[in-house]
Amino acid sequence: MTFYNRKGMLYARINGKRVSTKLKDTKSNRKLFESYSKNDEFFNKFNVNKSIPTLIELCEEVLNDLETTLEPTSYRAYRSLFNSRIVPYFGKMLPTEVKPITIKEWYKTFSDKSTIVTCEAVLKRAIENAVLSEYIDNTPFIVKKPSLKSDYEINPFTIDEIKLILGCKESPYRNFLGVAFFTGLRTGEICGLKWTDIDLKKNKITVNRQITNGQEKKPKTKKSKATIDLPVEALIYFKEQQLKTGLREYIFYSPKNQKPFQSSANFHGPFKRMLQSLGIENRSIYQTRHTFASIRLSLG
């Protein structure tokens, strides 16, 4: 660190950067400035950190990168948790102000595993970028993450509940739910099924796509894109649906507008009301997938 005078004011050069101390150039002020430069208090007192972005700004950079790689639904989940769990806590804090105790206290604001994992994915990368940019020397993520359980509960339907749900023959969602229960496909994958994906003679289903938020895209995972055996239990529901939409492109259409379902959200309200009318415990439609797995396990 070197000092120099500019119009009576004290300036210093630190790591190649010129810094104004906002003090007059005197021997006492040079000593004061030099002493502060040895600890973090110096950076706040003399406002050296003007060029250092806040932690939130670093997180924004991470989110911008994630937006190019994540599915829109996944990105919205990251963005939502960033706004609700990171921004309120860290506010305008600089990376230099985030200590291990800060992270430890932040961990205490969580109660479920999935939320903390998503938030960490953003915050840790932001901190790593701060280290790479030499804003800080070390990561504050040296404290142990709390052992939390996911708040998501696997709660499959019973055989009796399935019979009640599929016994509603007047329901416009009966065949859709029958396929969901007995194939284990994700809701978005069922929305994306076309008649060209089904071979009722060879009892095969080819999963090529899913529909999420009105967008047709590839299945969620590489393993999901496959040709699988059509369970005999699901066959009746495909054949019943064939009488309704067999001459159309997609297998299932919304009873409201006769257009292909746009997302699993189309089922939340109707499915909840159906369960209430049947006196069945409320569960998400995704539990049909767990139910399929449960049935298969029980059958060996």
Side-chain angles (χ1 to χ4, degrees):
M1 180 171 58
T2 57
F3 295 107
Y4 58 97
N5 183 301
R6 185 178 181 188
K7 296 182 179 180
M9 299 301 293
L10 179 62
Y11 280 74
R13 185 168 295 279
I14 304 173
N15 297 326
K17 295 182 180 180
R18 186 181 68 186
V19 176
S20 171
T21 67
K22 299 181 181 179
L23 299 171
K24 291 183 178 180
D25 184 10
T26 64
K27 287 184 179 180
S28 60
N29 281 342
R30 289 194 180 207
K31 287 183 179 181
L32 177 65
F33 187 88
E34 195 168 19
S35 66
Y36 274 129
S37 68
K38 295 177 182 178
N39 54 58
D40 289 341
E41 186 179 356
F42 153 78
F43 292 96
N44 292 325
K45 187 174 182 68
F46 295 100
N47 202 24
V48 175
N49 283 313
K50 279 187 176 180
S51 61
I52 296 181
T54 65
L55 187 59
I56 298 304
E57 289 171 334
L58 290 170
C59 287
E60 289 280 4
E61 293 176 3
V62 172
L63 285 168
N64 290 339
D65 289 338
L66 289 175
E67 189 173 14
T68 63
T69 58
L70 293 175
E71 294 290 346
T73 50
S74 298
Y75 174 74
R76 280 194 288 273
Y78 276 76
R79 171 63 69 174
S80 176
L81 288 175
F82 165 70
N83 289 332
S84 62
R85 306 307 295 269
I86 296 178
V87 173
Y89 192 88
F90 293 95
K92 297 181 179 180
M93 291 180 68
L94 297 170
T96 52
E97 298 174 300
V98 181
K99 308 300 180 184
I101 187 62
T102 313
I103 301 300
K104 183 178 181 180
E105 293 301 314
W106 178 63
Y107 277 151
K108 292 180 180 179
T109 67
F110 293 89
S111 59
D112 69 282
K113 182 179 178 180
S114 59
T115 302
I116 199 170
V117 168
T118 302
C119 289
E120 268 194 339
V122 176
L123 193 62
K124 271 192 173 182
R125 281 184 58 178
I127 290 293
E128 288 168 2
N129 289 341
V131 174
L132 290 173
S133 299
E134 298 184 348
Y135 300 139
I136 55 178
D137 296 326
N138 301 295
T139 175
F141 277 96
I142 60 173
V143 294
K144 185 178 180 181
K145 182 169 63 177
S147 298
L148 299 174
K149 294 182 179 180
S150 174
D151 60 356
Y152 180 78
E153 181 182 358
I154 295 177
N155 188 10
F157 292 88
T158 65
I159 296 297
D160 289 338
E161 288 174 332
I162 294 173
K163 288 179 180 179
L164 276 175
I165 293 169
L166 299 183
C168 300
K169 292 190 176 182
E170 69 282 359
S171 170
Y173 302 100
R174 177 175 180 266
N175 293 333
F176 189 102
L177 291 171
V179 170
F181 277 124
F182 297 122
T183 65
L185 295 178
R186 297 178 177 88
T187 308
E189 292 168 350
I190 302 176
C191 291
L193 283 177
K194 299 180 180 180
W195 284 112
T196 53
D197 301 322
I198 308 297
D199 190 332
L200 295 178
K201 292 182 179 180
K202 294 182 179 180
N203 284 0
K204 297 287 184 181
I205 308 175
T206 300
V207 182
N208 283 318
R209 71 196 70 79
Q210 65 173 333
I211 295 179
T212 306
N213 291 327
Q215 296 183 340
E216 189 176 291
K217 59 189 69 175
K218 295 179 181 179
K220 188 173 182 179
T221 66
K222 290 183 179 180
K223 288 184 178 181
S224 297
K225 188 174 183 179
T227 298
I228 60 176
D229 292 329
L230 172 58
V232 64
E233 299 93 340
L235 188 59
I236 182 177
Y237 301 101
F238 278 113
K239 287 186 174 180
E240 286 186 9
Q241 189 64 23
Q242 192 175 35
L243 297 175
K244 298 179 179 181
T245 62
L247 298 178
R248 303 183 71 180
E249 182 181 15
Y250 289 92
I251 295 178
F252 295 103
Y253 291 82
S254 169
K256 292 184 177 181
N257 55 23
Q258 291 304 308
K259 294 181 179 180
F261 288 111
Q262 297 299 294
S263 78
S264 60
N266 294 133
F267 300 92
H268 293 169
F271 191 58
K272 182 178 181 179
R273 289 190 291 273
M274 175 186 286
L275 296 182
Q276 286 178 337
S277 67
L278 296 172
I280 297 174
E281 178 187 353
N282 183 42
R283 274 162 277 186
S284 72
I285 196 169
Y286 196 82
Q287 294 291 348
T288 59
R289 184 165 164 83
H290 297 310
T291 303
F292 169 78
S294 177
I295 292 173
R296 291 296 164 188
L297 286 172
S298 67
L299 295 175

PDB file of all heavy atoms in Angstrom, residues 56-70 75 77-80 82-83 86-87 122 125:
ATOM      1  N   ILE A  56     -26.542 -10.215  -2.813  1.00  0.00           N
ATOM      2  CA  ILE A  56     -27.757 -10.387  -3.615  1.00  0.00           C
ATOM      3  C   ILE A  56     -27.450 -10.208  -5.095  1.00  0.00           C
ATOM      4  O   ILE A  56     -27.976 -10.929  -5.954  1.00  0.00           O
ATOM      5  CB  ILE A  56     -28.856  -9.392  -3.168  1.00  0.00           C
ATOM      6  CG1 ILE A  56     -29.252  -9.666  -1.710  1.00  0.00           C
ATOM      7  CG2 ILE A  56     -30.069  -9.480  -4.078  1.00  0.00           C
ATOM      8  CD1 ILE A  56     -29.713 -11.080  -1.439  1.00  0.00           C
ATOM      9  N   GLU A  57     -26.595  -9.247  -5.410  1.00  0.00           N
ATOM     10  CA  GLU A  57     -26.216  -9.035  -6.813  1.00  0.00           C
ATOM     11  C   GLU A  57     -25.457 -10.242  -7.366  1.00  0.00           C
ATOM     12  O   GLU A  57     -25.642 -10.629  -8.525  1.00  0.00           O
ATOM     13  CB  GLU A  57     -25.370  -7.763  -6.932  1.00  0.00           C
ATOM     14  CG  GLU A  57     -26.169  -6.484  -6.723  1.00  0.00           C
ATOM     15  CD  GLU A  57     -25.290  -5.243  -6.622  1.00  0.00           C
ATOM     16  OE1 GLU A  57     -24.112  -5.366  -6.225  1.00  0.00           O
ATOM     17  OE2 GLU A  57     -25.791  -4.154  -6.942  1.00  0.00           O
ATOM     18  N   LEU A  58     -24.631 -10.845  -6.537  1.00  0.00           N
ATOM     19  CA  LEU A  58     -23.914 -12.047  -6.950  1.00  0.00           C
ATOM     20  C   LEU A  58     -24.888 -13.207  -7.164  1.00  0.00           C
ATOM     21  O   LEU A  58     -24.717 -14.008  -8.085  1.00  0.00           O
ATOM     22  CB  LEU A  58     -22.860 -12.425  -5.907  1.00  0.00           C
ATOM     23  CG  LEU A  58     -21.659 -11.485  -5.793  1.00  0.00           C
ATOM     24  CD1 LEU A  58     -20.825 -11.845  -4.566  1.00  0.00           C
ATOM     25  CD2 LEU A  58     -20.796 -11.568  -7.050  1.00  0.00           C
ATOM     26  N   CYS A  59     -25.889 -13.276  -6.320  1.00  0.00           N
ATOM     27  CA  CYS A  59     -26.920 -14.312  -6.479  1.00  0.00           C
ATOM     28  C   CYS A  59     -27.701 -14.102  -7.774  1.00  0.00           C
ATOM     29  O   CYS A  59     -28.079 -15.074  -8.449  1.00  0.00           O
ATOM     30  CB  CYS A  59     -27.872 -14.295  -5.289  1.00  0.00           C
ATOM     31  SG  CYS A  59     -27.180 -14.953  -3.759  1.00  0.00           S
ATOM     32  N   GLU A  60     -27.971 -12.846  -8.104  1.00  0.00           N
ATOM     33  CA  GLU A  60     -28.681 -12.538  -9.351  1.00  0.00           C
ATOM     34  C   GLU A  60     -27.895 -13.057 -10.554  1.00  0.00           C
ATOM     35  O   GLU A  60     -28.472 -13.570 -11.517  1.00  0.00           O
ATOM     36  CB  GLU A  60     -28.913 -11.031  -9.482  1.00  0.00           C
ATOM     37  CG  GLU A  60     -29.945 -10.453  -8.541  1.00  0.00           C
ATOM     38  CD  GLU A  60     -31.374 -10.698  -9.020  1.00  0.00           C
ATOM     39  OE1 GLU A  60     -31.545 -11.391 -10.042  1.00  0.00           O
ATOM     40  OE2 GLU A  60     -32.300 -10.206  -8.357  1.00  0.00           O
ATOM     41  N   GLU A  61     -26.568 -12.922 -10.504  1.00  0.00           N
ATOM     42  CA  GLU A  61     -25.728 -13.434 -11.593  1.00  0.00           C
ATOM     43  C   GLU A  61     -25.856 -14.952 -11.708  1.00  0.00           C
ATOM     44  O   GLU A  61     -25.922 -15.504 -12.813  1.00  0.00           O
ATOM     45  CB  GLU A  61     -24.268 -13.047 -11.353  1.00  0.00           C
ATOM     46  CG  GLU A  61     -24.001 -11.545 -11.446  1.00  0.00           C
ATOM     47  CD  GLU A  61     -22.553 -11.199 -11.111  1.00  0.00           C
ATOM     48  OE1 GLU A  61     -21.761 -12.137 -10.864  1.00  0.00           O
ATOM     49  OE2 GLU A  61     -22.229  -9.997 -11.106  1.00  0.00           O
ATOM     50  N   VAL A  62     -25.913 -15.622 -10.568  1.00  0.00           N
ATOM     51  CA  VAL A  62     -26.076 -17.084 -10.563  1.00  0.00           C
ATOM     52  C   VAL A  62     -27.426 -17.461 -11.170  1.00  0.00           C
ATOM     53  O   VAL A  62     -27.526 -18.377 -11.992  1.00  0.00           O
ATOM     54  CB  VAL A  62     -25.969 -17.639  -9.125  1.00  0.00           C
ATOM     55  CG1 VAL A  62     -26.324 -19.124  -9.094  1.00  0.00           C
ATOM     56  CG2 VAL A  62     -24.571 -17.423  -8.580  1.00  0.00           C
ATOM     57  N   LEU A  63     -28.475 -16.747 -10.787  1.00  0.00           N
ATOM     58  CA  LEU A  63     -29.810 -17.030 -11.308  1.00  0.00           C
ATOM     59  C   LEU A  63     -29.887 -16.790 -12.811  1.00  0.00           C
ATOM     60  O   LEU A  63     -30.575 -17.524 -13.529  1.00  0.00           O
ATOM     61  CB  LEU A  63     -30.853 -16.177 -10.585  1.00  0.00           C
ATOM     62  CG  LEU A  63     -31.190 -16.615  -9.157  1.00  0.00           C
ATOM     63  CD1 LEU A  63     -32.003 -15.547  -8.447  1.00  0.00           C
ATOM     64  CD2 LEU A  63     -31.960 -17.931  -9.169  1.00  0.00           C
ATOM     65  N   ASN A  64     -29.193 -15.781 -13.289  1.00  0.00           N
ATOM     66  CA  ASN A  64     -29.170 -15.520 -14.733  1.00  0.00           C
ATOM     67  C   ASN A  64     -28.549 -16.692 -15.483  1.00  0.00           C
ATOM     68  O   ASN A  64     -28.989 -17.058 -16.576  1.00  0.00           O
ATOM     69  CB  ASN A  64     -28.403 -14.230 -15.026  1.00  0.00           C
ATOM     70  CG  ASN A  64     -29.150 -12.991 -14.572  1.00  0.00           C
ATOM     71  OD1 ASN A  64     -30.372 -13.024 -14.405  1.00  0.00           O
ATOM     72  ND2 ASN A  64     -28.438 -11.898 -14.362  1.00  0.00           N
ATOM     73  N   ASP A  65     -27.510 -17.277 -14.883  1.00  0.00           N
ATOM     74  CA  ASP A  65     -26.884 -18.453 -15.498  1.00  0.00           C
ATOM     75  C   ASP A  65     -27.831 -19.653 -15.444  1.00  0.00           C
ATOM     76  O   ASP A  65     -27.945 -20.414 -16.417  1.00  0.00           O
ATOM     77  CB  ASP A  65     -25.575 -18.803 -14.777  1.00  0.00           C
ATOM     78  CG  ASP A  65     -24.473 -17.788 -15.043  1.00  0.00           C
ATOM     79  OD1 ASP A  65     -24.562 -17.073 -16.061  1.00  0.00           O
ATOM     80  OD2 ASP A  65     -23.540 -17.705 -14.225  1.00  0.00           O
ATOM     81  N   LEU A  66     -28.502 -19.836 -14.312  1.00  0.00           N
ATOM     82  CA  LEU A  66     -29.413 -20.971 -14.157  1.00  0.00           C
ATOM     83  C   LEU A  66     -30.594 -20.885 -15.115  1.00  0.00           C
ATOM     84  O   LEU A  66     -31.113 -21.915 -15.564  1.00  0.00           O
ATOM     85  CB  LEU A  66     -29.924 -21.034 -12.719  1.00  0.00           C
ATOM     86  CG  LEU A  66     -28.916 -21.460 -11.650  1.00  0.00           C
ATOM     87  CD1 LEU A  66     -29.537 -21.344 -10.260  1.00  0.00           C
ATOM     88  CD2 LEU A  66     -28.443 -22.890 -11.892  1.00  0.00           C
ATOM     89  N   GLU A  67     -31.005 -19.670 -15.450  1.00  0.00           N
ATOM     90  CA  GLU A  67     -32.156 -19.505 -16.332  1.00  0.00           C
ATOM     91  C   GLU A  67     -31.900 -20.108 -17.711  1.00  0.00           C
ATOM     92  O   GLU A  67     -32.827 -20.527 -18.406  1.00  0.00           O
ATOM     93  CB  GLU A  67     -32.514 -18.022 -16.470  1.00  0.00           C
ATOM     94  CG  GLU A  67     -33.826 -17.777 -17.201  1.00  0.00           C
ATOM     95  CD  GLU A  67     -34.238 -16.320 -17.183  1.00  0.00           C
ATOM     96  OE1 GLU A  67     -33.393 -15.461 -16.851  1.00  0.00           O
ATOM     97  OE2 GLU A  67     -35.405 -16.032 -17.495  1.00  0.00           O
ATOM     98  N   THR A  68     -30.636 -20.158 -18.106  1.00  0.00           N
ATOM     99  CA  THR A  68     -30.295 -20.702 -19.428  1.00  0.00           C
ATOM    100  C   THR A  68     -30.222 -22.226 -19.433  1.00  0.00           C
ATOM    101  O   THR A  68     -30.194 -22.833 -20.500  1.00  0.00           O
ATOM    102  CB  THR A  68     -28.938 -20.146 -19.907  1.00  0.00           C
ATOM    103  OG1 THR A  68     -27.900 -20.579 -19.001  1.00  0.00           O
ATOM    104  CG2 THR A  68     -28.950 -18.624 -19.944  1.00  0.00           C
ATOM    105  N   THR A  69     -30.183 -22.842 -18.252  1.00  0.00           N
ATOM    106  CA  THR A  69     -30.035 -24.294 -18.182  1.00  0.00           C
ATOM    107  C   THR A  69     -31.234 -25.014 -17.569  1.00  0.00           C
ATOM    108  O   THR A  69     -31.470 -26.183 -17.868  1.00  0.00           O
ATOM    109  CB  THR A  69     -28.783 -24.671 -17.372  1.00  0.00           C
ATOM    110  OG1 THR A  69     -28.877 -24.120 -16.051  1.00  0.00           O
ATOM    111  CG2 THR A  69     -27.532 -24.125 -18.042  1.00  0.00           C
ATOM    112  N   LEU A  70     -31.987 -24.320 -16.735  1.00  0.00           N
ATOM    113  CA  LEU A  70     -33.119 -24.961 -16.059  1.00  0.00           C
ATOM    114  C   LEU A  70     -34.399 -24.875 -16.876  1.00  0.00           C
ATOM    115  O   LEU A  70     -34.559 -23.974 -17.705  1.00  0.00           O
ATOM    116  CB  LEU A  70     -33.365 -24.295 -14.701  1.00  0.00           C
ATOM    117  CG  LEU A  70     -32.298 -24.465 -13.616  1.00  0.00           C
ATOM    118  CD1 LEU A  70     -32.686 -23.639 -12.401  1.00  0.00           C
ATOM    119  CD2 LEU A  70     -32.145 -25.929 -13.232  1.00  0.00           C
ATOM    120  N   TYR A  75     -36.804 -23.033 -12.792  1.00  0.00           N
ATOM    121  CA  TYR A  75     -36.231 -21.699 -12.590  1.00  0.00           C
ATOM    122  C   TYR A  75     -37.143 -20.842 -11.728  1.00  0.00           C
ATOM    123  O   TYR A  75     -36.674 -20.110 -10.846  1.00  0.00           O
ATOM    124  CB  TYR A  75     -35.983 -21.009 -13.927  1.00  0.00           C
ATOM    125  CG  TYR A  75     -35.532 -19.578 -13.770  1.00  0.00           C
ATOM    126  CD1 TYR A  75     -34.240 -19.280 -13.347  1.00  0.00           C
ATOM    127  CD2 TYR A  75     -36.409 -18.526 -13.994  1.00  0.00           C
ATOM    128  CE1 TYR A  75     -33.825 -17.972 -13.160  1.00  0.00           C
ATOM    129  CE2 TYR A  75     -36.009 -17.215 -13.815  1.00  0.00           C
ATOM    130  CZ  TYR A  75     -34.714 -16.945 -13.399  1.00  0.00           C
ATOM    131  OH  TYR A  75     -34.318 -15.642 -13.206  1.00  0.00           O
ATOM    132  N   ALA A  77     -39.092 -21.835  -9.437  1.00  0.00           N
ATOM    133  CA  ALA A  77     -38.971 -22.294  -8.053  1.00  0.00           C
ATOM    134  C   ALA A  77     -37.727 -21.703  -7.402  1.00  0.00           C
ATOM    135  O   ALA A  77     -37.763 -21.253  -6.251  1.00  0.00           O
ATOM    136  CB  ALA A  77     -38.912 -23.815  -8.018  1.00  0.00           C
ATOM    137  N   TYR A  78     -36.609 -21.687  -8.138  1.00  0.00           N
ATOM    138  CA  TYR A  78     -35.374 -21.092  -7.626  1.00  0.00           C
ATOM    139  C   TYR A  78     -35.575 -19.594  -7.366  1.00  0.00           C
ATOM    140  O   TYR A  78     -35.172 -19.078  -6.328  1.00  0.00           O
ATOM    141  CB  TYR A  78     -34.238 -21.284  -8.631  1.00  0.00           C
ATOM    142  CG  TYR A  78     -33.541 -22.607  -8.531  1.00  0.00           C
ATOM    143  CD1 TYR A  78     -34.124 -23.765  -9.026  1.00  0.00           C
ATOM    144  CD2 TYR A  78     -32.282 -22.717  -7.946  1.00  0.00           C
ATOM    145  CE1 TYR A  78     -33.484 -24.995  -8.942  1.00  0.00           C
ATOM    146  CE2 TYR A  78     -31.627 -23.937  -7.853  1.00  0.00           C
ATOM    147  CZ  TYR A  78     -32.236 -25.068  -8.358  1.00  0.00           C
ATOM    148  OH  TYR A  78     -31.602 -26.277  -8.259  1.00  0.00           O
ATOM    149  N   ARG A  79     -36.175 -18.919  -8.329  1.00  0.00           N
ATOM    150  CA  ARG A  79     -36.384 -17.475  -8.204  1.00  0.00           C
ATOM    151  C   ARG A  79     -37.304 -17.156  -7.028  1.00  0.00           C
ATOM    152  O   ARG A  79     -37.066 -16.201  -6.272  1.00  0.00           O
ATOM    153  CB  ARG A  79     -36.966 -16.935  -9.513  1.00  0.00           C
ATOM    154  CG  ARG A  79     -37.448 -15.487  -9.491  1.00  0.00           C
ATOM    155  CD  ARG A  79     -36.351 -14.496  -9.219  1.00  0.00           C
ATOM    156  NE  ARG A  79     -35.404 -14.377 -10.295  1.00  0.00           N
ATOM    157  CZ  ARG A  79     -34.416 -13.473 -10.311  1.00  0.00           C
ATOM    158  NH1 ARG A  79     -34.279 -12.614  -9.297  1.00  0.00           N
ATOM    159  NH2 ARG A  79     -33.549 -13.434 -11.297  1.00  0.00           N
ATOM    160  N   SER A  80     -38.345 -17.937  -6.852  1.00  0.00           N
ATOM    161  CA  SER A  80     -39.293 -17.709  -5.759  1.00  0.00           C
ATOM    162  C   SER A  80     -38.617 -17.866  -4.403  1.00  0.00           C
ATOM    163  O   SER A  80     -38.804 -17.015  -3.508  1.00  0.00           O
ATOM    164  CB  SER A  80     -40.462 -18.693  -5.879  1.00  0.00           C
ATOM    165  OG  SER A  80     -41.337 -18.560  -4.787  1.00  0.00           O
ATOM    166  N   PHE A  82     -35.419 -17.647  -3.789  1.00  0.00           N
ATOM    167  CA  PHE A  82     -34.434 -16.568  -3.675  1.00  0.00           C
ATOM    168  C   PHE A  82     -35.100 -15.317  -3.112  1.00  0.00           C
ATOM    169  O   PHE A  82     -34.573 -14.668  -2.195  1.00  0.00           O
ATOM    170  CB  PHE A  82     -33.822 -16.277  -5.040  1.00  0.00           C
ATOM    171  CG  PHE A  82     -33.069 -14.977  -5.130  1.00  0.00           C
ATOM    172  CD1 PHE A  82     -31.851 -14.808  -4.480  1.00  0.00           C
ATOM    173  CD2 PHE A  82     -33.582 -13.907  -5.859  1.00  0.00           C
ATOM    174  CE1 PHE A  82     -31.161 -13.611  -4.551  1.00  0.00           C
ATOM    175  CE2 PHE A  82     -32.893 -12.705  -5.942  1.00  0.00           C
ATOM    176  CZ  PHE A  82     -31.679 -12.565  -5.289  1.00  0.00           C
ATOM    177  N   ASN A  83     -36.265 -14.970  -3.644  1.00  0.00           N
ATOM    178  CA  ASN A  83     -36.980 -13.767  -3.199  1.00  0.00           C
ATOM    179  C   ASN A  83     -37.509 -13.888  -1.767  1.00  0.00           C
ATOM    180  O   ASN A  83     -37.577 -12.894  -1.047  1.00  0.00           O
ATOM    181  CB  ASN A  83     -38.140 -13.467  -4.147  1.00  0.00           C
ATOM    182  CG  ASN A  83     -37.676 -12.975  -5.501  1.00  0.00           C
ATOM    183  OD1 ASN A  83     -36.611 -12.368  -5.623  1.00  0.00           O
ATOM    184  ND2 ASN A  83     -38.443 -13.251  -6.541  1.00  0.00           N
ATOM    185  N   ILE A  86     -33.696 -15.693   0.665  1.00  0.00           N
ATOM    186  CA  ILE A  86     -32.337 -15.134   0.614  1.00  0.00           C
ATOM    187  C   ILE A  86     -32.349 -13.612   0.687  1.00  0.00           C
ATOM    188  O   ILE A  86     -31.650 -13.019   1.508  1.00  0.00           O
ATOM    189  CB  ILE A  86     -31.606 -15.604  -0.666  1.00  0.00           C
ATOM    190  CG1 ILE A  86     -31.423 -17.127  -0.630  1.00  0.00           C
ATOM    191  CG2 ILE A  86     -30.248 -14.911  -0.797  1.00  0.00           C
ATOM    192  CD1 ILE A  86     -30.753 -17.704  -1.858  1.00  0.00           C
ATOM    193  N   VAL A  87     -33.161 -12.989  -0.155  1.00  0.00           N
ATOM    194  CA  VAL A  87     -33.196 -11.517  -0.189  1.00  0.00           C
ATOM    195  C   VAL A  87     -33.566 -10.910   1.168  1.00  0.00           C
ATOM    196  O   VAL A  87     -32.865 -10.006   1.653  1.00  0.00           O
ATOM    197  CB  VAL A  87     -34.168 -11.024  -1.282  1.00  0.00           C
ATOM    198  CG1 VAL A  87     -34.336  -9.501  -1.200  1.00  0.00           C
ATOM    199  CG2 VAL A  87     -33.661 -11.419  -2.663  1.00  0.00           C
ATOM    200  N   VAL A 122     -28.024 -21.657  -4.936  1.00  0.00           N
ATOM    201  CA  VAL A 122     -27.820 -20.284  -5.409  1.00  0.00           C
ATOM    202  C   VAL A 122     -26.765 -19.570  -4.568  1.00  0.00           C
ATOM    203  O   VAL A 122     -25.806 -18.995  -5.098  1.00  0.00           O
ATOM    204  CB  VAL A 122     -29.152 -19.495  -5.360  1.00  0.00           C
ATOM    205  CG1 VAL A 122     -28.918 -18.024  -5.758  1.00  0.00           C
ATOM    206  CG2 VAL A 122     -30.177 -20.137  -6.277  1.00  0.00           C
ATOM    207  N   ARG A 125     -23.009 -20.863  -4.777  1.00  0.00           N
ATOM    208  CA  ARG A 125     -22.351 -20.465  -6.028  1.00  0.00           C
ATOM    209  C   ARG A 125     -21.991 -18.987  -6.024  1.00  0.00           C
ATOM    210  O   ARG A 125     -20.943 -18.585  -6.541  1.00  0.00           O
ATOM    211  CB  ARG A 125     -23.250 -20.786  -7.228  1.00  0.00           C
ATOM    212  CG  ARG A 125     -23.217 -22.256  -7.625  1.00  0.00           C
ATOM    213  CD  ARG A 125     -24.028 -22.534  -8.860  1.00  0.00           C
ATOM    214  NE  ARG A 125     -23.602 -21.764 -10.017  1.00  0.00           N
ATOM    215  CZ  ARG A 125     -24.144 -21.863 -11.216  1.00  0.00           C
ATOM    216  NH1 ARG A 125     -25.150 -22.709 -11.411  1.00  0.00           N
ATOM    217  NH2 ARG A 125     -23.713 -21.139 -12.225  1.00  0.00           N
TER     218      ARG A 125
END
